[in-house]
Amino acid sequence: MDYLRSVLKLSPAKKYFIVIIVIFISFLKFIHVSVPYYCQSIQPRKVIYECFEDPATMNRTGIEDVIPLDIHQRSETMHKTNSDMPAFSKRNFTMSEEKHIKYCIKNYAKDIKKGGQFWKGTQYNIRFKEHRYLVPNKSIIVDIGGNIGGDAQSFLDMYNPQYYIILEPLKLFYRKLNLRFKDRRNVMIVYNIGLGAKYEIFMIKIEGNVGVATSSFSGSGKGSCSLKVVNALDFYKLGVWKFSVDLVTMNCEGCEYDLLENILSSNLIHFFKNIQFATHPTLEKLRDPIRRYCQLQEILHRTHKPTYQYKYVWESWKLK
């Protein structure tokens, strides 16, 4: 009671100050007690998709379903002999190329930071707008890693190609793509395969936002969903020798390294007029991505030249 009387005798200013202190302490206690539970309640629930694989198709590679396009397209490249088009080995670098590779590796931190400008504003749309050379109703585009079809829709709307071939290894997305483009079957060709250096089947988990960034080079372990990869050379030999591809665009969550190395080691590289790819160097299971990226830069320079480049993010190269 004596304490209360002493408080009542205080000046209005001091009473006001005490009230503020009490309110502030009460607020801190509320934060301490309530926030952990509040944060826990808004944590997004991890969604894991269960796949039910058909045993009859598990032993198939997917390459059996590929049908060569019936195109009789004349190309300067077609008339070159194998001796005119040497296959390049990523191991045979000149002294100048080795120097460039070392410089590229050294500047990784600087280059990837600068490459991040790709995502500022609407700059990322360059991966569609850069390809105005595509001729409506005549161009051929190969999309490796079709995902749910966002990029494909943009290319269809902007350029209306003669053929748009999508390779998507995840059956969940493969079905979505077929459903999305069911009215464009005269243009769209969708295959349930991925491309790489060799034939492989990965059993993975499809997690998160409908699995948009699912990759065999990341994730939390083995799952129930199959991801089939076939040798890139075998796929392209089914038809690419007969015509030139106007654009191959790759966004396959890490497969770009194996795929580019495989193509660049063969004569097939001469049949791709334009090559566009994302890079994903930070995926945890990728083997030596920085050095491999820098090596790919030097090999690409032998046959192509960059038209736009955000290093380690997105870039496009044109046949010389």
Side-chain angles (χ1 to χ4, degrees), residues 13 205 210:
K205 292 180 180 178
V210 296

Side-chain angles (χ1 to χ4, degrees), residues 274-288:
N274 294 272
I275 301 173
Q276 176 176 261
F277 56 94
T279 310
H280 310 101
T282 59
L283 290 174
E284 57 189 301
K285 297 179 184 178
L286 268 176
R287 176 180 53 83
D288 202 7

Side-chain angles (χ1 to χ4, degrees), residues 168-229:
E168 175 48 58
L170 291 174
K171 192 159 289 185
L172 173 68
F173 294 162
Y174 169 73
R175 290 169 179 157
K176 288 179 179 290
L177 287 166
N178 275 309
L179 183 62
R180 180 171 186 169
F181 299 112
K182 63 181 180 180
D183 297 327
R184 301 296 303 273
R185 296 191 188 279
N186 60 321
V187 174
M188 304 295 295
I189 301 171
V190 186
Y191 292 118
N192 186 203
I193 56 174
L195 298 187
K198 58 184 179 180
Y199 288 82
E200 292 183 278
I201 298 179
F202 301 94
M203 299 305 295
I204 63 173
K205 292 180 180 178
I206 301 179
E207 303 174 337
N209 181 22
V210 296
V212 167
T214 298
S215 171
S216 60
F217 299 99
S218 64
S220 56
K222 189 174 181 179
S224 63
C225 303
S226 67
L227 188 155
K228 294 183 179 181
V229 175

Side-chain angles (χ1 to χ4, degrees), residues 15-33:
K15 290 179 182 178
Y16 181 78
F17 178 76
I18 291 173
V19 170
I20 294 296
I21 293 296
V22 171
I23 292 174
F24 181 71
I25 292 173
S26 300
F27 176 75
L28 289 179
K29 284 188 171 292
F30 171 80
I31 291 294
H32 177 72
V33 173

Side-chain angles (χ1 to χ4, degrees), residues 132-151:
R132 299 192 183 279
Y133 54 82
L134 293 169
V135 181
N137 300 311
K138 291 185 178 180
S139 297
I140 300 170
I141 302 174
V142 177
D143 184 344
I144 301 170
N147 209 273
I148 57 176
D151 285 9

Side-chain angles (χ1 to χ4, degrees), residues 55-312:
T57 63
M58 280 300 292
N59 293 327
R60 291 169 54 84
T61 64
I63 199 77
E64 303 92 342
D65 300 322
V66 177
I67 301 173
L69 295 180
D70 185 19
I71 297 176
H72 302 286
Q73 179 195 74
R74 296 185 64 83
S75 166
E76 292 181 5
T77 311
M78 289 174 58
H79 301 294
K80 294 184 178 181
T81 64
N82 287 344
S83 59
D84 293 326
M85 300 189 303
F88 297 119
S89 169
K90 65 180 180 179
R91 299 178 182 85
N92 298 330
F93 294 109
T94 65
M95 290 181 64
S96 176
E97 288 172 338
E98 289 283 7
K99 183 178 179 180
H100 293 158
I101 291 169
K102 290 179 181 178
Y103 182 81
C104 173
I105 294 171
K106 181 180 178 181
N107 282 273
Y108 166 71
K110 178 181 177 181
D111 286 340
I112 194 172
K113 182 178 180 180
K114 187 176 180 180
Q117 297 292 319
F118 177 85
W119 299 111
K120 287 200 171 182
T122 59
Q123 188 61 34
Y124 61 89
N125 284 323
I126 193 173
R127 71 182 193 268
F128 308 119
K129 294 180 179 179
E130 179 66 23
H131 308 290
R132 299 192 183 279
Y133 54 82
L134 293 169
V135 181
N137 300 311
K138 291 185 178 180
S139 297
I140 300 170
I141 302 174
V142 177
D143 184 344
I144 301 170
N147 209 273
I148 57 176
D151 285 9
Q153 189 67 64
S154 295
F155 278 113
L156 284 174
D157 293 343
M158 293 181 70
Y159 302 113
N160 191 30
Q162 180 181 6
Y163 289 109
Y164 195 100
I165 304 167
I166 299 181
L167 308 183
E168 175 48 58
L170 291 174
K171 192 159 289 185
L172 173 68
F173 294 162
Y174 169 73
R175 290 169 179 157
K176 288 179 179 290
L177 287 166
N178 275 309
L179 183 62
R180 180 171 186 169
F181 299 112
K182 63 181 180 180
D183 297 327
R184 301 296 303 273
R185 296 191 188 279
N186 60 321
V187 174
M188 304 295 295
I189 301 171
V190 186
Y191 292 118
N192 186 203
I193 56 174
L195 298 187
K198 58 184 179 180
Y199 288 82
E200 292 183 278
I201 298 179
F202 301 94
M203 299 305 295
I204 63 173
K205 292 180 180 178
I206 301 179
E207 303 174 337
N209 181 22
V210 296
V212 167
T214 298
S215 171
S216 60
F217 299 99
S218 64
S220 56
K222 189 174 181 179
S224 63
C225 303
S226 67
L227 188 155
K228 294 183 179 181
V229 175
V230 304
N231 184 287
L233 300 186
D234 287 350
F235 171 79
Y236 285 116
K237 284 177 181 177
L238 287 175
V240 80
W241 291 110
K242 298 180 181 179
F243 58 86
S244 294
V245 175
D246 295 288
L247 171 65
V248 56
T249 180
M250 310 177 193
N251 185 15
C252 47
E253 303 301 327
C255 88
E256 299 88 358
Y257 294 84
D258 283 346
L259 181 51
L260 284 168
E261 287 169 350
N262 203 14
I263 294 174
L264 286 165
S265 69
S266 77
N267 297 330
L268 282 174
I269 188 60
H270 297 270
F271 287 85
F272 297 104
K273 294 181 180 179
N274 294 272
I275 301 173
Q276 176 176 261
F277 56 94
T279 310
H280 310 101
T282 59
L283 290 174
E284 57 189 301
K285 297 179 184 178
L286 268 176
R287 176 180 53 83
D288 202 7
I290 300 170
R291 178 176 296 278
R292 292 169 73 190
Y293 174 86
C294 294
Q295 290 175 338
L296 286 169
Q297 294 286 303
E298 293 307 305
I299 303 175
L300 274 168
H301 268 296
R302 297 170 179 175
T303 55
H304 291 66
K305 58 183 179 181
T307 56
Y308 79 83
Q309 190 170 49
Y310 292 83
K311 287 190 173 182
Y312 299 101

